[in-house]
Structure formats: C-alpha cells, structure tokens
C-alpha cells in the first residue's frame, strides 16, 4: 500500500520538496508498512512558507467576505465529492476503521468549511452612539496563523483551524502531526481547486522543532495547537515569550456520570462512544464513567456484553468497528496503563491486553477494555491514556459525584445521564468542563463551541466563538463636533 504525495509540503499553491529536512515515514498502523516517505521542512521551506503566506494574506484580506465564503463552500463540496478517497487515506494514515472515517473525518471537515463559509458574509462590527459623535468597530484579520495538528483527526483538525482563520481574512501555515502527515496536503489541493489564492493555506511537515521555529517566528501572529498538555505548556511558554495569540486544544480525563434513573441501554451506548470510538483516541473521551450504585451491576453486565460485539479487524473492511492504535509508541503506552490498572487493584471486566487479529500480526491492536471498582486515586483514573480503556467508578450521591468529577487538572468535557431534567442541568452547572452533554456523549457539531477549562485548553474552536480567536477588533471614534484642548 502506498500513499506517497507528490512532495512533502504544499506552499504557494503547489507541492514543494525540502532538500535537507529530516526524513520520516508514515506507517499503516494495521500492518506497520511504510505508506509514504516525508521530509521535514528545512529553513528554506519555512522561509518559502512564510513568504507565500504573507503574499497570500494580502490578496485574501482584500477579497470580499462573501467571496471568501464561496471559496470555502466550494472546498466543502470538493471534500464531499472525494470523501471515499480521503477516508481511505485517513484510514491508512491513522488506522481508524473506514466505517468511521467515511462519516467522521473529511465529512466533518466539509461541514466545518461549509459552516464558516456561510458565516463569512455575516461578520460585522458595532455602531456605538456617543451622543452626537459615535464610534464603530470592525473585525480585522490577525495576519498569518500557524496551525499545529494532532494525529487522531488529521483532516478534521486542519479544517477546524483553517476555516475560521480563512473567513476572517488570515492566511494559514498548517503543520500536521508527524504521525499523520498526508491528509492536510489533500485539503490544500481542495482549497486550490476551489479557487483559494495561492499562499493562503500552506502545509509544512515536521516534528516539534519545526513547530517551535514557527511559533517563535516574528511573521506569525497567532498559534493554534491541538495536542497534549505537555506540548501545550511548551507552546504557550514560547508563544508567551513572543507575545503571540494562542488557542490550545489539549487533553482530558473527562467524567461521564450515570445516575440510577438513566436509560441503561442509552447510557451503555454513550459509554461505548465515549471510550472506544477511534480506538479510544479522542481528547474529549469520558474515560471516568461514574455509575450510581443502584444500577452498577446491570450497567456493567450490559457494557461487557455489548463490548464483546466489537469487531476488530481489517480497517478497510466497513464491518470493522475497532482498528489498531495509531503507532507502536501509543500501543506500548496503552498496554502499560492496562498493566498498571490491574496492578493497582482495578477489577478487569473485559479486555486487558493486546488483540490478535487474523491477517494483521504486526498491527497495533488492543482489546477494548473495561475496569470496574476503579478509585479516584488510581493512575488509570488520573492520567490521560488515549486508548480504549474505560474505568467504572461507583458513587452514591450527586454532591459527591460532582466533587469527584471535578477533582482533576483537566476540564475538557463531561456528560450526565439522568431522566431528572432539573438534576441534569444542576449537575452540568457544577461541572468544570468546557464541552458538556446531557443524555448523550461525544457529539461535536460544528455549530457548537468546543474547548477546555483548566489545563485542557485556552480559547474555543467551532461555532461563532471561534471568530473571536481569529480576528481582532478595531475601535474607531468619529468626532462630529469640534475638538477642545486645555491650552
Ligand atoms: P502531541 O502533543 O504529541 O503533538 C501535537 C502536535 O504538536 C504535533 O504536530 C507535534 O509535532 C507538535 N509539537 C510537539 N512539540 C512541539 C513544540 N515544542 N512546539 C510546537 N509544536 C510541537 O499530541 P499528539 O500525541 O499528536 O495527540 C494526542 C494529544 O492531543 C492528546 O493529549 C489529546 O487529548 C490531544 N488532543 C486534543 C484535542 C482537543 O481538541 N482538545 C483533539 C485531539 C487531540
């Protein structure tokens, strides 16, 4: 299987290869095969990307918002038309099953481009009456925005960052994760085909050092990272040193709280979606599942039974529901946490180790795993695992569970299941999390702002909220009378 792009980078509307950048491979996680060989950006590529983004931004900022919107909506249609091809590519690069990538990756990226494309012509400032004189505000672009992606939703993340940046008149340089370098290049192709001026969206490849060079570069106005908390801290520190605007979408250890009046079947579905979708590699996952004591055994029995129906297998077979983890490194990390869970005394309900999948002996497959009787102090209840490891914790009453749910440095997401409408809202009000669900989990429509409290992030993506983070307000006072002075 090969998915070699024409060249590693996409700058100024066409592919560009670096002469001296560090080479690295992109692997198909189901087999470990090399599907593409990429070279990290060297200084010449970085310089070319900056020059191209500067030139592109000038043209784009002078383009009417309505026309910007049309370009984004055309790009959305191109992604939709190519959805199958893009989904196969994303499956090869991430290992996520085609059953998922067909609906959740390029498709959700297209929704994002369409949404922000629709918003483009509606963005306005304010008129402020000062009694005779007045002021007005206008929204202006920031300049060149630098997007840094994680590997779990590569094309979706590239869309979530570029769409709001572009409608506001910015240009973008995007660096995908070195683990999944391929689909952002396809997004760049789609933008060019849709009529985006050259240089408005550029893709450069590389590891954290390339990211850091761009974060510190004086021509970059804003940095938006999706990644882990430790990387977020490094990027924030460097961006702070250079006083760059930042959006950080980081990790989590989110609570999913299930009261004993909940519909158990729906709650089990939500727990599955909150832990096993994308083989558990989702930042907002509800990995601490708090179940009220009255329904604990019924919940666990049904969860174990339904987890047994998961189909691990060939990611390109649409009947497969769980693919491999993205890399050997992630496989080792998840296996390590499974062992710690057992060692610290959690009760293994199902799974607990590597999975053997016929025809894929070298794939990074692990079993979807459920631990019960997990306590708040256990490592698996405190640290982000980023794999299919679900922890069930018992609770007795509402105040207790809210306090325990909040007892974490993270605050990305949270969910509550109950048929009591007042309790549902009361509990949500008490939870320290940026993105919450009542009687469902992990749905992130583009219309709804997404982001974290506490160490899970700074700023918001999606919805109208994202516009605030990709534009700046200019206030203009207009004097309609004379000007007085003291002397
Ligand atoms: P990571 O932090 O290892 O890497 C993220 C990106 O940052 C990569 O592109 C990497 O090359 C780059 N990077 C690394 N060091 C850098 C530095 N010093 N300067 C600039 N860039 C640097 O994360 P990952 O392993 O790719 O992704 C998994 C993590 O991402 C998890 O913690 C997950 O929760 C988080 N995540 C968050 C969201 C969200 O929206 N909140 C979404 C997806 C993933």
């Amino acid at each position: 299987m090969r998915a070699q792009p024409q060249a590693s980078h996409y700058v100024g509307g066409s592919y560009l290869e670096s002469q001296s950048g560090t080479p690295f491979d992109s692997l198909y996680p189901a087999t470990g095969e090399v599907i593409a060989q990429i070279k990290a950006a060297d200084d010449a590529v970085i310089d070319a990307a900056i020059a191209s983004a500067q030139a592109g931004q000038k043209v784009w900022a002078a383009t009417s918002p309505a026309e910007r919107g049309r370009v984004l909506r055309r790009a959305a249609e191109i992604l939709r038309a190519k959805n199958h091809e893009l989904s196969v590519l994303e499956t090869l690069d991430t290992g996520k099953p085609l059953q998922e990538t067909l609906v959740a990756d390029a498709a959700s990226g297209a929704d994002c481009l369409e949404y922000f494309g629709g918003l483009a012509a509606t963005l306005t400032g304010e008129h402020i009456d000062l009694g005779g004189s007045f002021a007005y505000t206008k929204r202006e672009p920031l300049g060149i925005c630098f997007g840094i992606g994680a590997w779990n939703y590569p094309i979706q993340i590239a869309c979530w960052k570029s769409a709001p940046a572009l409608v506001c008149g910015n240009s973008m340089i995007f660096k995908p994760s070195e683990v999944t370098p391929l689909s952002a290049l396809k997004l760049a192709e789609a933008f060019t085909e849709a009529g985006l001026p050259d240089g408005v969206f550029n893709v450069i490849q590389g590891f954290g050092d390339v990211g850091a060079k761009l974060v510190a570069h004086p021509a970059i106005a804003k940095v938006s990272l999706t990644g882990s908390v430790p990387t977020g801290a490094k990027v924030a520190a460097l961006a702070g040193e250079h006083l760059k605007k930042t959006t950080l979408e980081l990790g989590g250890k989110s609570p999913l709280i299930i009261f004993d009046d909940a519909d158990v079947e729906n709650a089990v579905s939500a727990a599955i979606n909150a832990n096993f979708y994308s083989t558990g590699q989702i930042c907002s996952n509800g990995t601490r599942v708090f179940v009220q004591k009255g329904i604990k055994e019924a919940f666990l029995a049904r969860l174990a039974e339904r987890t047994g129906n998961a189909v691990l297998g060939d990611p390109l077979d649409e009947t497969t529901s769980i693919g491999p983890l993205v890399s050997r490194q992630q496989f080792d990390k998840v296996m390590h946490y499974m062992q710690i869970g057992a060692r610290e005394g959690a009760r293994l309900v199902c799974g607990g180790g590597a999975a053997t999948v016929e025809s894929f002996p070298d794939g990074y497959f692990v079993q979807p795993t459920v631990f019960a009787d997990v306590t708040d102090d256990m490592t698996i209840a405190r640290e982000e695992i980023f794999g299919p490891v679900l922890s069930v914790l018992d609770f007795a009453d509402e105040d207790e569970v809210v306090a325990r749910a909040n007892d974490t440095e993270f605050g990305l997401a949270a969910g509550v299941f109950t048929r009591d409408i007042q309790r549902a809202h009361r509990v949500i009000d008490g939870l320290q999390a940026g993105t919450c669900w009542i009687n469902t989990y992990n749905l992130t429509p583009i219309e709804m702002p997404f982001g974290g409290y506490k160490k899970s992030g700074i700023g918001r993506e999606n919805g109208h909220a994202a516009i605030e983070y990709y534009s700046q307000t200019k206030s203009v006072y207009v004097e309609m009378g004379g000007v007085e002075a003291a002397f």
Side-chain angles (χ1 to χ4, degrees), residues 87-392:
S87 303
V88 169
L89 182 68
E90 206 72 310
T91 288
L92 292 176
D93 219 6
T94 62
K96 296 193 293 181
L98 196 56
Q99 187 188 89
E100 286 187 17
T101 52
L102 281 171
V103 295
D105 291 81
S108 73
D111 290 348
C112 175
L113 299 183
E114 182 179 63
Y115 172 81
F116 284 105
L119 221 55
T122 73
L123 302 177
T124 56
E126 279 183 289
H127 172 273
I128 302 153
D129 189 343
L130 299 172
S133 295
F134 65 95
Y136 65 92
T137 64
K138 60 195 292 257
R139 213 172 260 292
E140 295 194 343
L142 299 170
I144 308 178
C145 300
F146 177 43
I148 310 175
W151 44 256
N152 60 339
Y153 278 86
I155 198 167
Q156 185 197 70
I157 291 171
C159 290
W160 281 20
K161 296 193 187 306
S162 59
L166 268 45
V167 293
C168 292
N170 304 288
S171 60
M172 174 162 273
I173 299 175
F174 185 79
K175 190 196 83 62
S177 164
E178 60 276 20
V179 182
T180 53
L182 303 178
S183 58
L185 295 167
K186 293 290 174 188
L187 175 62
E189 283 182 26
F191 274 137
T192 298
E193 193 182 334
L196 190 73
D198 293 348
V200 180
F201 181 74
N202 309 275
V203 177
I204 63 163
Q205 309 285 354
F207 298 82
D209 61 328
V210 171
K213 273 187 191 169
L214 271 288
V215 172
H217 197 291
I220 299 290
K222 190 227 158 79
V223 178
S224 176
L225 164 79
T226 296
S228 61
V229 168
T231 303
K234 281 188 218 159
V235 168
L238 189 58
E241 196 183 313
H242 296 270
L243 288 175
K244 302 287 172 72
K245 295 178 173 54
T246 45
T247 297
L248 302 174
E249 292 288 356
L250 309 176
K253 191 74 200 175
S254 300
L256 166 57
I257 301 171
I258 299 166
F259 284 94
D260 58 14
D261 66 342
D263 178 309
V264 172
E265 207 54 27
N266 282 338
V268 168
S269 297
I272 288 171
N273 293 339
N275 284 275
F276 301 144
Y277 203 72
S278 295
T279 320
Q281 302 164 117
I282 299 183
C283 51
S284 53
N285 269 358
T287 46
R288 291 184 295 145
V289 182
F290 290 92
V291 182
Q292 204 165 16
K293 285 178 179 154
I295 56 160
K296 176 188 165 187
E297 291 312 326
F299 177 86
L300 278 175
R302 199 59 191 123
L303 177 62
E305 190 182 341
R306 288 182 54 189
T307 301
N309 296 334
V311 180
L312 279 77
D314 179 354
L316 291 168
D317 178 342
E318 281 183 50
T319 61
T320 295
S321 52
I322 296 195
L325 291 164
V326 76
S327 63
R328 160 64 60 181
Q329 192 188 3
Q330 197 62 17
F331 174 88
D332 291 341
K333 182 178 165 198
V334 172
M335 292 293 290
H336 171 70
Y337 278 111
M338 287 178 177
Q339 286 151 11
I340 293 184
R343 201 165 63 227
E344 291 186 356
R347 170 161 63 96
L348 186 63
V349 175
C350 58
T356 311
V357 173
E358 209 182 319
S359 311
F360 294 89
D362 299 320
Y364 312 127
F365 290 92
V366 295
Q367 298 168 320
T369 295
V370 177
F371 283 111
D373 305 335
V374 176
T375 54
D376 298 345
D377 56 338
M378 288 182 185
T379 308
I380 56 170
R382 304 213 67 79
E383 296 181 10
E384 184 184 50
I385 300 173
F386 227 55
V389 182
L390 183 163
S391 293
V392 174

